[in-house]
Amino acid sequence: MFAIRYRYKSKPQNHLLDSYMTVDEKLLRLRVVIRKHGKHVMNKLFDDYVTGPITKKVIPSCILCGAEDNLTKEHVLPKWVFENNPKHFFTTDVNQLSQSYIKATLPACRDCNSDLLNSVERFIQKTLSQVDLQKCYYNAEEWENIIRWLEIIDYKFQVLDVSTKFLAHKEAGYIPALADLSIAIMRDISIRSVTSKCRLSLKRIATKDKGERFNSLIVGRTIEKTFHYFHKSGEFIHLEIPTYNKAFFYFYEKEFTNNRIAKKEAMKIIKSVYGGK
């Protein structure tokens, strides 16, 4: 669980001002890449794993630009978030099978991975390390970029769900008729729902203005000693990162009139997941 200090409107602080130009340029390029290649990336993803024949040979491609050359492995959840610990894992709700975060990767070309995604992550790490919530708080630019980062994570998890096969169920075992179906399809049943949610997730990343999303993000200090995470694709994400003594809860779609209402709803969800602890 974590203690939340409410965001307040204040005069922007300058402790990371030198980094803004760089990260803004990277985020601009990221948006340009998505707007230019997003339709192709989505169409190929769905044809490979949802609407195309099950026997189709899938050629891996970058989750951002669609390139098929110079591919690298992009971790769905950054390694520094889960402490690069191979013992940290998550359980897929559809088939109750576990997977370690360190093995949960997606293809990304070298340019998109190193130049764009890694640059954003480095900025976020710097932001988390330099802001002590007991002494100061995030300014508007930092707040927006934390939102962008969390939206990128949601997109990656949605692509992971679309591109991962059901395979088997922990209790029911191997079911031939379901084994090759996408986890995303098994969860939502509707192809339209799966494709719409994934497209919307990518669209969020390409949206520049995050001002209307400010009240949807709750940030506070965590008292946990180890990393915690849970999410519901397209709805919310919860992260506790003891390395930086920070915790985040973000509603991807819901908007709130103020942060206090968002906190109340977030705490209900957190208590339900943690069993009221």
Side-chain angles (χ1 to χ4, degrees), residues 1 230 264-277:
M1 297 292 292
F230 65 81
K264 185 176 180 180
E265 185 162 341
M267 292 307 296
K268 282 184 180 179
I269 297 172
I270 292 171
K271 288 178 180 178
S272 69
V273 172
Y274 288 159
K277 295 180 180 180

Side-chain angles (χ1 to χ4, degrees), residues 77 81 90 101 153-154 157 227-232 236-240 252 274:
L77 207 59
V81 170
F90 62 96
Y101 287 103
I153 291 176
D154 178 62
F157 265 105
F227 150 81
H228 283 280
Y229 168 87
F230 65 81
H231 83 289
K232 190 170 183 180
F236 55 75
I237 182 174
H238 170 63
L239 267 176
E240 293 186 70
Y252 289 112
Y274 288 159

Side-chain angles (χ1 to χ4, degrees), residues 75 77-88 101-103 227 243:
H75 282 84
L77 207 59
K79 289 191 291 185
W80 58 269
V81 170
F82 60 87
E83 301 154 355
N84 200 19
N85 187 339
K87 293 183 180 180
H88 282 315
Y101 287 103
I102 206 161
K103 292 182 178 179
F227 150 81
T243 303

Side-chain angles (χ1 to χ4, degrees), residues 1-30:
M1 297 292 292
F2 60 90
I4 296 173
R5 175 178 175 180
Y6 296 116
R7 177 182 62 84
Y8 55 83
K9 294 181 179 179
S10 61
K11 195 173 182 180
Q13 302 164 31
N14 294 319
H15 46 80
L16 292 179
L17 193 58
D18 292 339
S19 300
Y20 286 151
M21 183 62 69
T22 300
V23 76
D24 281 348
E25 289 176 345
K26 299 295 185 182
L27 287 168
L28 172 60
R29 186 179 167 200
L30 178 63

Side-chain angles (χ1 to χ4, degrees), residues 27-37:
L27 287 168
L28 172 60
R29 186 179 167 200
L30 178 63
R31 294 194 296 272
V32 170
V33 167
I34 291 172
R35 289 168 184 166
K36 183 177 180 180
H37 302 287

Side-chain angles (χ1 to χ4, degrees), residues 32-93:
V32 170
V33 167
I34 291 172
R35 289 168 184 166
K36 183 177 180 180
H37 302 287
K39 184 176 181 180
H40 165 71
V41 170
M42 289 289 94
N43 288 342
K44 184 179 186 303
L45 176 69
F46 301 143
D47 186 54
D48 284 347
Y49 300 104
V50 179
T51 58
I54 293 178
T55 56
K56 178 184 177 182
K57 181 180 179 181
V58 175
I59 299 175
S61 57
C62 177
I63 61 171
L64 293 179
C65 72
E68 297 175 359
D69 298 324
N70 300 316
L71 295 181
T72 62
K73 292 182 179 180
E74 165 67 8
H75 282 84
V76 178
L77 207 59
K79 289 191 291 185
W80 58 269
V81 170
F82 60 87
E83 301 154 355
N84 200 19
N85 187 339
K87 293 183 180 180
H88 282 315
F89 65 91
F90 62 96
T91 301
T92 303
D93 58 343

Side-chain angles (χ1 to χ4, degrees), residues 7 144 147 208-215:
R7 177 182 62 84
E144 285 193 345
I147 288 175
K208 180 181 180 180
D209 184 18
K210 300 296 179 185
E212 295 183 357
R213 310 296 309 149
F214 274 15
N215 286 331

